[in-house]
Amino acid sequence: MTSETDRHTSVSVALVGSGGAGVLTAGQLLLQAAARVGLFGLLTRCVGPQIRGGESAALLRLAGAPVHCMGDSFDAVLALDWNNAERFASEIPLRSDSVVISDAGNGKIPDAMLAAHPVMVELPIAATAAAADGGRGNMVALGILSAMLELPAATVQAVIATALADKGAAAVSAGVASVELGRGLADQAGLRLPVHRDVETNPLRWLLTGNEAAGLGALRGGVRFVAAYPITPATEILEWLAPNLQKIGATLVQAEDELASINMCIGASYAGVPALTATSGPGFSLMLEGLGLAVAAEVPLVVIDVMRGGPSTGIPTKSEQTDLNAAVYGMHGEAPHLVLAPTSIADALFTTQWAVHLAESMQTPAIVLSDQAIGQTTAIINPPANVKFFAERAVMRLPQTDYTRYAITADGVSPVTLPGTPGGQYTADGLEHSPRGTPSSRGEDHALQLDKRLRKIASFNYGVHWADVEGDGAMAVITWGSTTGAVREAVRRLRATGRSVRLIALRLLYPAQPRQMAAALSGVTCAVIVEQSHSGQFHRYLRAHYDLPPEVRLIARPGPLVLRPGELAQRIGNRSQ
Amino acid sequence: MESPATCPAAKAGDFKSDVKPVWCPGCGDYHVLLSLTKALAALGLRPEQVVVVSGIGCSSRIPAYTNCYGFHGIHGRALPLATGVKVARPELTVICAGGDGDGFSIGGNHFLHACRRNVDLTYIVMDNEVYGMTKGQPSPTTDPCWDSALSPGGTGMSPFHPLVIALASGANFIARAFAGDPNVTAKMIADAITHPGFSFVQILSPCVTFRPDQKGWKDRVRQAPVSETDDPGRAARRLMTDDGFVCGVLYRGHREPYRHMVQTGARGPATDLVETGFRVGS
């Protein structure tokens, strides 16, 4: 029941080659061509630790309907060479009917690639490229795969013309020629791997990574100041934001370290400009003291943590959902704040935008826990809805005499003055303070401010966005982050076989929403918790904050291997017998 | 917002708050507070146009003692905090203030990069060569032989030379003042605020509690005997060879200040023009 369903609804292909061979470029162009004809899809990149060179692979899954995770196995692998390809073998599972295309004499095929006894096809890729003027192997490969996938030649040509425009007409025509020769090779060999589509859909698509989606969400939410220190796999958020902030008159400052970037954000936001920074585990650890200051001084800001394998330097290029404890519990003292997580690449836009709105509304920091699988995967998606969440801080423009910055209010939110406003002067402070903002170690002041800071986030109405809740039945699968994609597909496959399974994918992790969860779990007798961790951080978090049904099962695996939908459908399905 | 032009001119006293300082009687920081308020008044600024930003330490308590907007942040991070304020709101006057431990030890890296970045703000370090708030430990500017409970017999570490390092890192204005001379210090702070780019003012501010020997500083300080320079080589030679008590503007550079500021009017949900790159198809 696993790969059968998979095979009928999507096609997965892998392009493998040494760094510099251009397989990542070819994969990107293939995805662009698919987007132009209205397909959906995903592209993940596998690269070794080398800065340049080494082995690389482009993994694609294309479908007629939106896809949210990589498939169970690959229908075709095309290798320009096999140097060091064994490193990726576990990430490219094959079947006996998978097609492995390679160039004769281009290295020894790794044993792992042969284990499933796939169909082996040899094509003269290098010789074909060499025969053409300015021919390139990766463009021949693009031709082969685009013909197999039945993507129109004109579409591929248009994609090449756009992508190589700044390299000149000769480069474009050489690329087009190579692609044509590749298409000829595929036609000659009779290789076909069409993507099934039920109906012609509106061909308007968006093509972007989760990191870019998060960047756009920040701008749509009203972020106009970003402080940045580069770190894998979050750098693309910052690199996308840098020029785009400039286009709208806003700015990005490159900081000397993450201690600086978080504090620059606090300063900018205190001055009235919504601020954001993005980082990953090691940088996030450095930001925790600053986040505590933002809680105490009630300064809104957003930190996106694109999670990678940890602890310490860990596995920088691979996904893991293991910063949850740090995000929820990492600050010293009692520091109520917001923790959110996107449930898909497209949702990285919504969740980041919502996070800006929430942070500004409640004058507190919001942490967005994205992950490498969301951040660095490129997706073809439907154009995202333009939701109305925007930074709206309660600003006092004409303060009364004796302005009270941290006034005790019913909802805990105290209107803030911005520098420049006469009569609104106050000193923001990490020291505990009286309602006026004056440092205080009195128990009464501490209790009042602790209560107010908690009340802000506890009494807020988060509406329906706290989680994606789908389906019904006595079993619920509870998950979060990028793992949601595979779970969503697994649950749909189970439903297709007549079983009823609910999906609960949390978007708001902190503060917990026990009333909403109780409603979502009404009638559920068994919960399966799915997460990409070793110790089950999400499971423990759920246990700490929610009443779970009598039977709870945990499917937890650390990175870097992704959880695949077929495997999940099987393991969840076993529980629902 | 009320236009500054319609307000009566503010006096030094208008820049002082009614919060009672935690400082010891005789602390040099009282004089620095006085100098700062005099400087702001002399420049014709209004308290609401000024943001005073600090980290942690005795001297870092200064924001709440002014009637300006203030931010008392976390240890060592005053400069990034101040950078964020100024880049976000270039029209504000931003003063960053603190001590030698906050600025040169835990915040040392930010000091280097604030000098390099050259954002138009003024950094005042009240240097007393000791951690006072934690009751007397050696700081980066402390003599290596100074005995203390934490480092018995002294640290044995070479003292940090803030002005030399500021020069080498690209600071645009480098000055030294003595807290006990508030009128001269006020002029120097005003000069630093007016000068474009990153201005650094080291103020020798005695700690009478943990470094009673510093009461003798008043007899050692003196104004620089030569005119100020914009030649980094000449400034370097002077700074490397002085005894740490020569006061005055010791370097005045002409480097372009940091320019990537948030523009007024950048607010608002106008993000259409950044989205076109994602669209595929008709």
Side-chain angles (χ1 to χ4, degrees), chain B residues 123-193:
Chain B
Y123 185 35
I124 296 169
V125 172
M126 290 159 256
D127 193 343
N128 57 12
E129 302 177 5
V130 73
Y131 286 88
M133 186 151 273
T134 47
K135 317 270 187 274
Q137 295 80 29
S139 86
T141 50
T142 305
D143 185 275
C145 302
W146 189 69
D147 190 53
S148 67
L150 190 62
S151 292
T155 63
M157 288 164 71
S158 177
F160 189 88
H161 286 279
L163 281 64
V164 175
I165 286 163
L167 183 71
S169 306
N172 215 21
F173 178 102
I174 297 169
R176 186 186 286 126
F178 175 56
D181 205 346
N183 288 326
V184 175
T185 303
K187 284 201 184 83
M188 201 169 293
I189 292 173
D191 196 354
I193 292 171

Side-chain angles (χ1 to χ4, degrees), chain A residues 533-565:
Chain A
S533 80
H534 183 256
S535 65
Q537 291 187 23
F538 183 58
H539 172 223
R540 288 165 197 271
Y541 152 86
L542 289 171
R543 289 263 187 218
H545 298 280
Y546 293 109
D547 288 331
L548 297 180
E551 189 184 351
V552 174
R553 300 283 153 173
L554 174 63
I555 300 175
R557 186 167 66 210
L561 288 186
V562 297
L563 289 155
R564 294 191 188 270

Side-chain angles (χ1 to χ4, degrees), chain A residues 95-420:
Chain A
R95 306 179 307 267
S96 60
D97 63 342
S98 303
V99 181
V100 175
I101 304 161
S102 60
D103 208 337
N106 233 343
K108 181 184 173 298
I109 301 175
D111 292 340
M113 287 281 168
L114 303 171
H117 303 289
V119 180
M120 307 304 295
V121 176
E122 281 193 355
L123 294 176
I125 299 169
T128 304
D133 187 23
R136 295 259 299 156
N138 68 328
M139 290 292 127
V140 175
L142 173 62
I144 295 169
L145 290 173
S146 66
M148 290 172 68
L149 295 163
E150 298 184 352
L151 298 171
T155 306
V156 182
Q157 284 167 12
V159 165
I160 291 172
T162 308
L164 301 183
D166 52 358
K167 297 196 173 172
V172 172
S173 57
V176 168
S178 295
V179 163
E180 279 315 299
L181 292 170
R183 292 178 76 92
L185 289 179
D187 292 344
Q188 249 175 349
L191 295 172
R192 278 295 175 270
L193 200 57
V195 184
H196 175 76
R197 266 197 287 185
D198 286 334
V199 284
E200 274 304 312
T201 46
N202 176 0
L204 191 61
R205 298 282 180 265
W206 274 36
L207 184 73
L208 78 180
T209 65
N211 277 343
E212 291 169 335
L216 178 57
L219 294 192
R220 279 192 176 180
V223 165
R224 295 295 181 267
F225 176 92
V226 172
Y229 189 78
I231 187 168
T232 304
T235 308
E236 298 90 353
I237 297 180
L238 305 164
E239 288 185 334
W240 184 84
L241 280 166
N244 286 298
L245 281 159
Q246 273 185 13
K247 281 185 201 164
I248 58 175
T251 200
L252 178 142
V253 181
Q254 183 175 339
E256 53 271 27
D257 55 31
E258 288 92 346
L259 304 166
S261 50
I262 187 78
N263 281 282
M264 286 177 181
C265 285
I266 295 170
S269 178
Y270 162 84
V273 176
L276 171 142
T277 185
T279 187
S280 188
F284 184 69
S285 291
L286 287 178
M287 290 181 184
L288 281 168
E289 190 192 12
L291 280 163
L293 173 63
V295 171
E298 303 198 35
V299 178
L301 58 91
V302 175
V303 175
I304 304 174
D305 172 5
V306 186
M307 294 182 288
R308 65 192 214 186
S312 190
T313 312
I315 311 180
T317 54
K318 296 291 180 181
S319 209
E320 205 167 67
Q321 298 178 313
T322 44
D323 292 353
L324 178 61
N325 283 347
V328 174
Y329 308 112
M331 291 174 222
H332 65 268
E334 290 171 306
H337 62 286
L338 304 161
V339 181
L340 302 94
T343 59
S344 68
I345 292 163
D347 191 55
L349 196 168
F350 173 84
T351 296
T352 309
Q353 184 175 354
W354 191 40
V356 178
H357 170 75
L358 294 179
E360 291 282 329
S361 299
M362 286 174 258
Q363 298 180 23
T364 201
I367 298 161
V368 176
L369 288 178
S370 182
D371 56 45
Q372 186 273 337
I374 283 178
Q376 293 194 319
T377 299
T378 312
I380 308 169
I381 62 171
N382 275 314
N386 211 336
V387 294
K388 294 289 173 220
F389 288 121
F390 194 73
E392 286 154 353
R393 199 182 303 185
V395 172
M396 185 171 281
R397 300 198 184 277
L398 289 169
Q400 310 295 308
T401 48
D402 285 341
Y403 168 63
T404 306
R405 166 65 186 102
Y406 300 103
I408 305 304
T409 59
D411 63 3
V413 176
S414 321
V416 61
T417 53
L418 303 181

